[in-house]
Amino acid sequence: MDDIPLASLSLTHVHYNPADRISYLCAWLALVPQGLCVVYATLIWSNREIEICLMFAGQMACEALNWCLKRLIKEERPREMHGKGYGMPSSHAQFVTFFSITLTFFLLFRHVPHPTETHTPLTFAQRFLLSILALISAAAVAASRIYLTYHTPKQVLVGCAAGAIFAIFWFAFTTYLRRSGLVEWGLETTISRLFRVRDLVVQEDLVDSGWARWEERRARRGLKNGFVVQGKKSK
């Protein structure tokens, strides 16, 4: 057993030039897909929103497509690359492109938040700026794969194209599921009720979830302790 060489967990193993600050930044950008998976898992567990579940399902399907394309095309990575596996198309580029475009479609075409007594949702212009930021961030991650020599420009561009095409397909598919009533039907199934899956984020901001109930609790607690909501003691 002592003679067996140790292996490297390539999931977070990134090669970069320690003397190059841009290379160091690119190494951090390489961890964005893993970070987004943590965000997905956290939001699904804490909010149980069907829209987020559908988006994550599409993200995983996009990853499966990338896995198939790499083994179908079988194009090697650049010679400078020390890693393993095929390089066409770039999985990082495909991942972040799908995420950013799907998020953009949601924010601009599906998300219609209504204002409440305690919260004013983002305007369309603000959601548009957020979408631009998401697309720029995805472009930065894709470009980092070229800078670190993990992929050729062609491999990154094909990855972006595959992610964009699949994002359009997935948004159209989920739109069909909603308009056909299949999402509403699925929410009424026993397993959805068991896990408390809901569909509020289309018309409600995530940051507003439960806030009205919290404000009511604060008001009741303040009155009980002899304080008004603003924190001033009542006479």
Side-chain angles (χ1 to χ4, degrees):
M1 293 294 293
D2 294 336
D3 297 331
I4 298 177
L6 297 178
S8 172
L9 183 61
S10 59
L11 182 64
T12 58
H13 190 75
V14 184
H15 288 93
Y16 71 97
N17 180 2
D20 185 349
R21 292 184 178 181
I22 298 180
S23 181
Y24 179 69
L25 174 62
C26 290
W28 280 102
L29 289 174
L31 302 180
V32 167
Q34 290 89 332
L36 288 176
C37 286
V38 173
V39 172
Y40 272 124
T42 302
L43 289 176
I44 290 173
W45 175 256
S46 61
N47 291 284
R48 315 296 174 93
E49 283 286 343
I50 187 63
E51 184 68 23
I52 301 175
C53 293
L54 288 172
M55 187 173 177
F56 183 63
Q59 193 79 70
M60 293 299 97
C62 189
E63 279 294 284
L65 174 63
N66 180 267
W67 188 90
C68 294
L69 289 175
K70 281 189 173 181
R71 283 150 185 79
L72 178 65
I73 300 174
K74 296 182 179 180
E75 182 172 301
E76 298 295 333
R77 295 178 183 270
R79 292 183 178 180
E80 300 86 352
M81 169 39 41
H82 305 287
K84 301 177 181 178
Y86 298 116
M88 174 66 85
S90 166
S91 59
H92 276 70
Q94 186 169 328
F95 188 105
V96 294
T97 299
F98 173 87
F99 174 82
S100 62
I101 292 182
T102 303
L103 179 62
T104 296
F105 285 166
F106 169 74
L107 290 175
L108 300 185
F109 303 114
R110 184 173 291 170
H111 187 46
V112 188
H114 299 312
T116 65
E117 295 180 359
T118 59
H119 178 70
T120 300
L122 296 177
T123 64
F124 181 84
Q126 290 172 323
R127 298 199 303 274
F128 179 79
L129 291 176
L130 185 60
S131 301
I132 295 298
L133 179 61
L135 294 171
I136 292 175
S137 300
V141 174
S144 72
R145 307 306 290 170
I146 301 174
Y147 194 89
L148 293 174
T149 68
Y150 273 82
H151 294 282
T152 64
K154 183 177 69 172
Q155 292 170 352
V156 167
L157 289 174
V158 172
C160 291
I165 292 172
F166 195 81
I168 295 171
F169 162 78
W170 191 255
F171 189 79
F173 175 65
T174 55
T175 298
Y176 164 76
L177 292 180
R178 285 187 170 278
R179 292 181 177 179
S180 65
L182 289 174
V183 168
E184 185 176 354
W185 172 84
L187 290 170
E188 295 300 324
T189 60
T190 301
I191 189 169
S192 292
R193 300 291 296 169
L194 177 64
F195 287 98
R196 300 186 177 185
V197 182
R198 52 183 182 258
D199 188 23
L200 294 175
V201 73
V202 171
Q203 296 182 333
E204 177 182 294
D205 276 5
L206 281 176
V207 296
D208 196 41
S209 178
W211 182 253
R213 294 193 301 273
W214 169 246
E215 287 293 278
E216 292 176 3
R217 183 180 299 179
R218 285 182 67 243
R220 291 196 301 268
R221 186 175 57 194
L223 292 174
K224 182 178 180 180
N225 295 334
F227 290 84
V228 295
V229 177
Q230 289 80 2
K232 295 180 180 180
K233 194 169 185 178
S234 61
K235 300 293 185 180

